[in-house]
Every structure is written in C-alpha cells, then in structure tokens.
Amino acid sequence: MKIVFRLALLAAAAAFCFWLWTILFPSPEKIVLRKMASLASTATFNADASSLARAAKAGNLTDFFSPDAQIVLDAPGLADHTFSGRDEIRETALAGFATLNSLEVKFLDTTVQISADKQTAEVSCTIELNAGDNKDYGAQEMHFQFRKIDGAWLITRAETVKTLS
Amino acid sequence: MQNVNDPRPHWLRVLAVGRRPKATLVRIAVLVVTCFVTFKFILLPIRVEGISMQPTYHTGEIDCVNRLAYLRHEPQRGDVVSVRLAGTSVMYLKRIIGLPGETVAFHGGRAFINGQPLDEPYVKFRCDWEHEPIQCGPDQYYVVGDNRSMPFELHTQGRADRDRIIGKILL
C-alpha cells in the first residue's frame, strides 16, 4: 500500500513538473497561438474607445509584424489590396479604426505548423469580424507566415485564402 | 418523514440517480459518449447565417451536416453541402451545380453546364448573372447558393476542392 501511495505521489509530482515546464518553456506552437490571440485582442476595440486609445491600438498592432511584412487582401466584394511594411500597416489600421464604430476580431480554427528548424511558422485560420454596424462581413480564411526574429515571433506575411476558386 | 428501517431509498434520490445508481452512471456515460461521437464525427450541428441560400434556408435555422453522406458515393449535383474554411467552426452552405471536369457558366441568370441549361427548381429569385465558363478540375465541384437575386460579385461561389466538402445537409 505504501509503495502504491509513493508511486502515485511520484506520478503526481512528475505531472506537476511537466505542467510547470510547459508553462515556463512553452512550445513554439503555443507561443504562436498566444500571439494570434493577442493580435485579435489588440485589433478589438469597443464603441466607447477614445481616438487616443484607437491610435494606440493601431500602433501596437504593428508590433506583431516584421519591418518588411506584407498583408495581401483578395476577398470577394473587396478590391485587391497589398500593404507593405509597418508604416503602411499602421496608417491603414489608424484609418480603419477611426472610421469603424467598434471592432471585434476572432480567429477560429487556428492551426500552427512549425518548420523543422523552428524558425518559421505557418498559421491557417478563419477570421470573423464584427464592426457593430449590423453589416455582415462574413468569414474569411487567412494564412499567416511567422518568422522568429531576435527571439520574437513576428508576422512576415498575412494573406487571404480563396476557399472557392 | 422516512422510516429508518424502510429499505426503500428516498424518492428524491431515486429521482436523481435511480434505484441503481451504478447502472444510472453507466447509462449516463454511454449517453454522453454516444452524443459526443454522434455530434463530433457523424452529425455536425450548424446554425445557418446569411441570405445566400434563401429561400431554401434562412438565417437562424438549425440543421445538421451528415459527415458520412459521401462515404459510399461522391457528391451529386443538387446536393446542399457544407464547405469548410480553415476548419468546421465556420462553413459555407452551398448547392453543388457543377461536377468534376464540367464547365459552368451563367447567361441571362441561368446556369449552364457544359453549354446546356440546368433546370433549377430550387431557384426562386431570378437574376441576370452573366459569367464566362469556368472548368472544374478533376477533384473540384462548383458550388453556389440558391439566392441568385444578389449581385454576382457579392455572392460567394466557385469551385470547391473535394477535401473541403465536409458533408451533406441533413434536412
């Protein structure tokens, strides 16, 4: 009985250590998933958010992107757009945040694939937008490329995916 | 007040866990596992949103997608199917009008398959869509909504790869 108890205690201690290890040293997948969640919350703002808060959010948004990042949009009902570099992304975000009443961004079905050298990651997800204006923005499949730059995972490319060609 | 010598369990306990609690627990476990397997792998519950499938399906309707519908045969023309995006949280609900290898075009609001007009009794709202022929690949199906009163550019439609078709709508 004593041995069983000790073994159970040992197993519990091992499980705790493993859990602690995953908290202290998360896998690259988890880091990228957290980045995506953080990106969604940074892009989300309420209707009562001040202009200053919106501008700050637009500024913070660029921290997720590498200096040479590209956003390529080609979705039904929208004109094709390509935004290159942090400055253009910030300006577009500033303009967008100023005109929208509010914005809620959700990334659904997010899957992360880390490359063998653990320096790049491919992320697929469905983005759902709600701008609080009763307009149906639908859902859009997106693809992100992340690269580890100076220890931080940054988006180098974000593009819409044509689900139906 | 219940007699302490009465071997019968209290009626509240009987109501909560039955006369044989172990058997009740087993039944609950079986029910939970059955529901999980059914609604995760066989019937995918969905809530319809948007107007592209009107008047066949309306916003707010609840339905299920049969994921086993195409185990024995491939999707057929006229089937209403769900097409996944990155996953199954959000899916397109569309009708198949073009099969692999076929050419789909729209002239005067009518769909043409390989140059022949397609009879579509489910289309109630006519339109004036004009679109050049599009050829489906060997593993592609042309899907479109029943509501053709929307402008062509705003109506999500096109060729869907076979692996994106999750299943057929149940009702």
Side-chain angles (χ1 to χ4, degrees):
Chain A
M1 197 64 192
K2 211 172 178 181
I3 291 173
V4 173
F5 178 73
R6 282 180 180 169
L7 279 174
L9 206 67
L10 203 68
F16 176 75
C17 287
F18 177 73
W19 173 77
L20 204 64
W21 176 267
T22 57
I23 295 292
L24 294 174
F25 306 101
S27 64
E29 285 96 336
K30 273 207 171 150
I31 295 172
V32 173
L33 277 172
R34 275 186 207 158
K35 274 266 173 189
M36 291 296 288
S38 182
L39 175 66
S41 66
T42 303
T44 297
F45 60 88
N46 294 324
D48 56 359
S50 65
S51 308
L52 207 65
R54 291 174 190 222
K57 277 202 169 261
N60 291 342
L61 208 60
T62 56
D63 295 342
F64 290 88
F65 294 87
S66 67
D68 60 343
Q70 268 200 330
I71 300 178
V72 182
L73 300 180
D74 181 10
L78 278 178
D80 303 353
H81 280 297
T82 301
F83 308 105
S84 303
R86 279 179 170 168
D87 290 341
E88 198 176 349
I89 292 168
R90 182 172 38 241
E91 280 167 22
T92 310
L94 268 171
F97 287 7
T99 51
L100 291 172
N101 181 38
S102 64
L103 185 64
E104 188 187 14
V105 179
K106 279 186 201 168
F107 293 121
L108 307 166
D109 299 320
T110 311
T111 53
V112 181
Q113 277 190 316
I114 305 287
S115 64
D117 61 358
K118 300 198 173 180
Q119 294 302 306
T120 58
E122 306 279 330
V123 178
S124 290
C125 66
T126 302
I127 186 169
E128 213 176 40
L129 301 176
N130 182 0
D133 53 4
N134 293 328
K135 205 172 159 188
D136 181 18
Y137 291 92
Q140 177 62 50
E141 196 174 344
M142 296 272 308
H143 182 253
F144 292 85
Q145 284 178 0
F146 279 77
R147 198 182 334 134
K148 206 172 181 181
I149 301 169
D150 298 331
W153 286 94
L154 297 176
I155 300 167
T156 54
R157 188 178 170 86
E159 60 185 334
T160 52
V161 175
K162 281 191 173 177
T163 308
L164 304 177
S165 57
Chain B
M1 196 171 166
Q2 196 175 4
N3 187 349
V4 286
N5 296 323
D6 191 352
R8 288 177 303 170
H10 193 272
W11 66 272
L12 256 175
R13 197 184 146 187
V14 173
L15 195 73
V17 292
R19 286 187 197 284
R20 292 181 299 158
K22 277 187 183 172
T24 305
L25 269 176
V26 171
R27 277 191 215 110
I28 290 171
V30 169
L31 190 70
V32 168
V33 170
T34 306
C35 285
F36 177 78
V37 171
T38 303
F39 293 115
K40 182 83 180 169
F41 302 106
I42 302 169
L43 295 176
L44 204 58
I46 56 161
R47 192 181 71 241
V48 180
E49 268 183 42
I51 59 168
S52 80
M53 279 302 286
Q54 282 184 3
T56 317
Y57 296 97
H58 296 88
T59 293
E61 282 183 17
I62 304 290
D63 213 312
C64 279
V65 173
N66 180 8
R67 302 187 78 161
L68 305 182
Y70 299 125
L71 270 185
R72 292 186 169 199
H73 63 87
E74 287 302 299
Q76 307 290 309
R77 196 189 322 282
D79 287 356
V80 177
V81 296
S82 64
V83 180
R84 69 164 179 82
L85 279 79
T88 55
S89 296
V90 181
M91 296 184 284
Y92 290 137
L93 187 66
K94 301 285 170 189
R95 192 182 293 276
I96 292 176
I97 63 164
L99 301 176
E102 291 183 340
T103 302
V104 179
F106 288 95
H107 296 302
R110 288 200 73 176
F112 286 74
I113 308 297
N114 293 337
Q116 297 298 314
L118 179 67
D119 182 32
E120 295 184 283
Y122 40 80
V123 176
K124 307 293 181 196
F125 309 137
R126 294 288 165 192
C127 63
D128 55 355
W129 286 4
E130 289 289 338
H131 202 267
E132 291 299 304
I134 296 176
Q135 171 125 37
C136 293
D139 207 27
Q140 289 182 323
Y141 293 81
Y142 197 96
V143 295
V144 62
D146 289 352
N147 184 2
R148 311 284 167 83
S149 65
M150 307 166 69
F152 187 86
E153 310 75 50
L154 296 181
H155 191 116
T156 306
Q157 60 181 295
R159 292 166 294 189
D161 292 336
R162 173 66 184 88
D163 62 0
R164 282 188 178 273
I165 296 175
I166 294 295
K168 185 180 175 181
I169 196 135
L170 199 65
L171 303 171

